[in-house]
């Protein structure tokens, strides 16, 4: 191990620590007693809403200075209050967009190290090494805004690795990554920790990715009144998983080898045609006559029928989210066409991109990769009522959706204060409240514990059997299996594998053509 890369690992101490967000009726974290020794590797688990992200944000000193929020007990890094020890910890957040600060990927990765006054002669070798470690092999001047969600996740991690902090905090670092990327990013983290000696705390719902690579598993209990809070379980991974498997499963933790039961499909769909794409190319760029848009994916043919599921898969950067937004009527086709069949169009234009807002939301509902991008009100309840009000309907499904997606206790909460998993469930619920005929979901199971995952998958299974068509961008193989239907796999262009020193790669990616009913 190179001495120049070694950092001073941080120690973490919590005594009776808790945090209550402004406007929330209960504490996000309650009564936490925890010690993490310098250099330890800890996997932090717990059901959705147990306060895992809140704890990581507190350790990074970025919970904010809201005067109406309340802190209890003490949370220390190296004996100093965490809020006063900024710079000792590097945090990778759940939301990839929240950590992109500069327009070029090289500058973005260098940003944290520059703010820590790392000598310039060391910064750019760190940047190149970090980008290579996380598998983001693009030119340093590549636009950060042109990255996919999974690529932004890699970019955020690269920026943290380049800082070489004493405490590495990772919040769902592999959630939006393709299967190969999960292993690549995990190994990049472990290599960095081995080289630097840093303390590691990682939050992941799926235990198997990290169980063999950490020293301890700590399971948080929800901090709601009457439910205890604090640490539910703490010990070596093998011991925790062997002795408390049933308890962990009941708490919603993803135990290796266990997939929670879900409602099975009762029919295979195959109803009337709703939407078709013919020789479709998709892009987020605005093309001009002399400079047409470079497609993110092309040669796509889809026929989507009522009651059928289509899973869109492929590596990060292949154009999956761009395709989803195009099928959802939110982006125009770069080439080819997307056309609604008469039962869906109902007298409107054939191209969903030409529909007005109220025409679109009652026919095709889209859940974005970033949940925050679709929140428009100040409470969970009003968020669910928004679409029905816009359509002149009653909110008949609101109470059902609150209960089914385990959001009842958050009805009065501000959507932006929810955990990542809660935000995802709310974003799905707001779309379902309008009862569209087609659902387009981008990473719908992101941030879900096993219990909320099963509830969401079962709910979508019911909707499919009732005739709703569901399009999902996902890396979740178990989720794809529950919904059934067909799979459309997008591929990267050859140029996308070029190293960081190569010219900017072409963004086009050919898709495997999907003919017939989806």
């Amino acid at each position: 191990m190179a001495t120049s890369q070694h950092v001073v690992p941080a120690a973490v101490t919590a005594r009776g620590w808790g945090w209550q967000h402004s406007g929330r009726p209960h504490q996000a974290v309650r009564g936490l007693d925890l010690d993490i020794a310098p250099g330890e590797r800890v996997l932090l688990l717990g059901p959705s809403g147990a306060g895992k992200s809140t704890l990581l944000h507190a350790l990074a000193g970025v919970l904010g200075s809201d005067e109406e929020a309340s802190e209890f007990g003490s949370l220390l890094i190296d004996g100093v209050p965490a809020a006063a020890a900024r710079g000792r910890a590097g945090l990778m957040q759940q939301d990839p967009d929240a950590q992109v600060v500069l327009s070029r990927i090289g500058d973005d990765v260098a940003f944290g190290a520059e703010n820590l006054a790392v000598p310039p002669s060391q910064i750019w070798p760190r940047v190149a090494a970090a980008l290579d470690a996380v598998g983001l092999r693009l030119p340093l001047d590549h636009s950060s805004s042109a990255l996919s969600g999974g690529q932004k996740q890699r970019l955020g991690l690269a920026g943290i690795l380049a800082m070489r902090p004493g405490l590495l905090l990772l919040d769902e670092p592999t959630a939006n990554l393709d299967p190969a990327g999960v292993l690549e990013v995990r190994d990049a983290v472990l290599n960095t920790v081995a080289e630097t000696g840093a303390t590691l705390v990682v939050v992941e719902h799926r235990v198997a990715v990290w169980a063999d690579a950490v020293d301890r598993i700590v399971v948080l209990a929800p901090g709601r009144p009457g439910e205890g809070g604090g640490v539910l379980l703490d010990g070596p991974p093998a011991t925790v998983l062997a002795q408390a498997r049933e308890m962990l499963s009941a708490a919603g933790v993803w135990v290796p080898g266990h997939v929670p039961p879900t409602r099975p499909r009762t029919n295979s769909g195959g109803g009337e045609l709703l939407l078709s794409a013919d020789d479709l190319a998709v892009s987020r760029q605005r093309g001009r006559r002399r400079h047409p848009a470079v497609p993110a994916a092309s040669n796509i043919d889809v026929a989507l029928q009522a009651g059928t599921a289509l899973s869109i898969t492929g590596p990060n950067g292949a154009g999956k989210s761009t395709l989803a937004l195009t099928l959802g009527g939110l982006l125009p086709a770069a080439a080819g066409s997307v056309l609604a069949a008469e039962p869906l169009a109902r007298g409107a234009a054939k191209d969903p991109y030409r529909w007005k807002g109220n025409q679109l939301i009652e026919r095709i509902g889209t859940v974005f990769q970033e949940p925050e991008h679709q929140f428009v009100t100040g409470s969970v309840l009003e968020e669910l009522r928004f679409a029905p009000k816009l359509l002149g309907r009653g909110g008949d499904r609101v109470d059902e959706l609150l209960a089914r997606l385990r959001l009842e206790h958050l009805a009065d909460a501000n959507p932006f204060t929810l955990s990542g998993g809660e935000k995802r469930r709310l974003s799905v619920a707001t779309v379902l409240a309008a009862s569209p005929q087609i659902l387009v979901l981008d990473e719908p199971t992101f941030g879900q514990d096993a219990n909320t995952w099963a509830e969401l998958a079962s709910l979508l299974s019911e909707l499919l059997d009732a005739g709703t068509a569901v399009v999902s961008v996902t890396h979740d193989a178990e989720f794809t299996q529950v919904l059934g239907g067909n799979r459309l796999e997008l591929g990267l262009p050859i140029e996308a594998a070029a190293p960081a020193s190569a010219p900017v790669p072409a963004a086009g990616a050919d898709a495997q053509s999907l003919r017939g009913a989806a």
Side-chain angles (χ1 to χ4, degrees):
M1 179 173 61
T3 304
S4 61
Q5 292 187 357
H6 193 78
V7 302
V8 178
V12 173
T13 305
R15 292 292 179 268
W17 186 77
W19 182 272
Q20 186 168 353
H21 294 286
S22 173
R24 300 290 285 273
H26 55 78
Q27 293 174 221
V29 182
R30 180 171 177 264
L32 179 66
D33 293 313
L34 180 65
D35 291 286
I36 300 176
E40 267 197 303
R41 304 175 181 182
V42 176
L43 176 60
L44 187 64
L45 303 176
S48 179
K52 303 181 296 297
S53 296
T54 299
L55 175 57
L56 294 195
H57 280 74
L59 287 170
V62 294
L63 270 182
S65 56
D66 190 336
E67 294 181 358
E68 296 182 12
S70 300
E71 185 173 16
F72 308 88
S74 64
L75 183 65
L76 309 177
I77 297 178
D78 297 331
V80 176
R86 291 176 184 152
R88 285 291 283 142
L91 170 65
M92 179 179 173
Q93 303 180 61
Q94 269 188 339
D95 177 11
D97 272 334
Q99 54 203 31
V100 177
V101 294
L102 294 173
S103 61
R104 298 183 298 185
I105 66 171
D107 294 338
D108 195 83
V109 175
F111 181 78
E114 289 173 340
N115 278 272
L116 293 177
V118 174
S121 61
Q122 297 180 24
I123 289 178
W124 291 103
R126 288 191 187 188
V127 169
L131 285 169
D132 186 67
V134 302
L136 192 59
R137 300 176 181 96
L138 295 169
L140 297 180
D141 61 355
H142 189 83
S143 170
S144 56
S145 63
L147 300 179
S148 70
Q151 289 173 320
K152 288 177 181 176
Q153 203 162 19
R154 293 175 188 247
L155 178 66
L157 178 58
I160 301 302
L161 298 184
M163 291 168 58
R164 295 182 182 156
L167 176 60
L168 191 58
L169 306 169
L170 308 180
D171 198 351
E172 299 280 0
T174 67
N176 287 329
L177 300 180
D178 55 80
V182 169
L183 299 179
E184 188 171 30
V185 164
R186 181 203 62 185
D187 291 345
V189 170
L190 296 178
N191 289 338
T192 298
V193 170
E195 290 175 358
T196 65
T199 306
L200 172 67
V201 181
V202 58
V203 170
E204 239 355 318
H205 277 96
R206 296 181 181 268
V207 179
V209 176
W210 296 93
D212 294 335
V214 297
D215 304 310
R216 291 164 61 190
I217 289 180
V218 174
V219 184
L220 296 186
R224 299 168 198 154
E227 296 187 21
V231 175
L232 181 65
L233 294 166
D234 184 355
T239 302
V240 170
L241 295 177
Q243 295 183 354
R245 188 178 184 88
E246 292 186 4
M247 182 188 297
L248 289 170
S249 297
V253 174
W254 281 98
V255 176
H258 172 71
V259 178
T262 56
R263 176 193 180 276
R265 291 287 307 274
T266 58
N267 66 60
S268 57
E272 59 191 357
L273 179 67
L274 297 177
L275 190 73
S276 62
D278 183 42
D279 197 22
L280 177 66
V282 298
S283 176
R284 301 199 190 204
Q285 300 177 358
R286 289 185 176 273
R288 299 177 181 176
R289 182 175 299 178
R290 294 186 178 181
H291 301 284
V294 177
S298 58
N299 302 334
I300 302 169
D301 297 292
V302 171
L304 190 65
Q305 294 174 292
T308 60
L310 171 64
S311 295
I312 302 173
T313 64
N316 298 124
K320 301 184 298 297
S321 295
T322 304
L323 173 58
L325 292 172
T326 306
L327 293 177
L330 297 172
L331 286 176
S337 63
V338 176
L339 298 175
E342 187 53 39
L344 184 67
R346 295 199 303 277
K350 295 293 186 181
D351 181 357
Y353 183 71
R354 297 175 58 192
W355 294 347
K356 296 179 180 179
N358 60 345
Q359 292 177 318
L360 187 62
I361 63 173
E362 67 176 346
R363 305 174 197 216
I364 306 177
T366 300
V367 174
F368 301 150
Q369 193 174 57
E370 301 84 9
E372 297 89 347
H373 289 186
Q374 59 196 90
F375 296 155
V376 294
T377 72
S379 76
V380 168
L381 184 60
E382 288 306 310
E383 203 69 44
L384 286 172
R385 289 174 173 171
F386 183 81
K389 283 182 179 179
L390 191 65
L391 297 172
R393 302 176 185 169
D396 298 339
R397 301 197 63 192
V398 169
D399 291 340
E400 174 202 354
L401 290 169
L402 281 171
R404 288 291 301 273
L405 296 177
R406 307 189 183 203
L407 296 169
E408 286 178 300
H409 64 289
L410 298 168
D412 296 326
N414 187 306
F416 293 94
T417 67
L418 305 184
S419 73
E422 290 164 346
K423 287 177 182 175
R424 169 55 73 216
R425 296 201 302 282
L426 176 59
S427 66
V428 173
T430 58
V431 169
L432 294 181
S435 301
Q437 293 169 268
I438 296 176
L439 288 174
V440 180
L441 311 173
D442 198 341
E443 298 291 356
T445 60
F446 167 77
Q448 300 310 305
D449 63 38
N451 293 335
T452 56
W453 178 93
E455 194 64 60
L456 179 59
S458 296
L459 177 57
L460 294 174
S461 174
E462 291 178 21
L463 292 171
L464 281 163
D465 286 341
T468 302
V470 177
V471 177
S472 304
V473 172
T474 184
H475 296 298
D476 188 336
E478 290 91 352
F479 178 75
T480 298
Q481 185 174 5
V482 169
L483 299 191
N486 285 315
R487 189 177 69 143
L488 172 62
E489 183 172 1
L490 304 186
L492 283 173
I494 295 175
E495 293 89 341
S501 59
V504 177
D510 288 338
Q512 293 181 2
S513 178
L514 183 72
R515 295 278 183 185

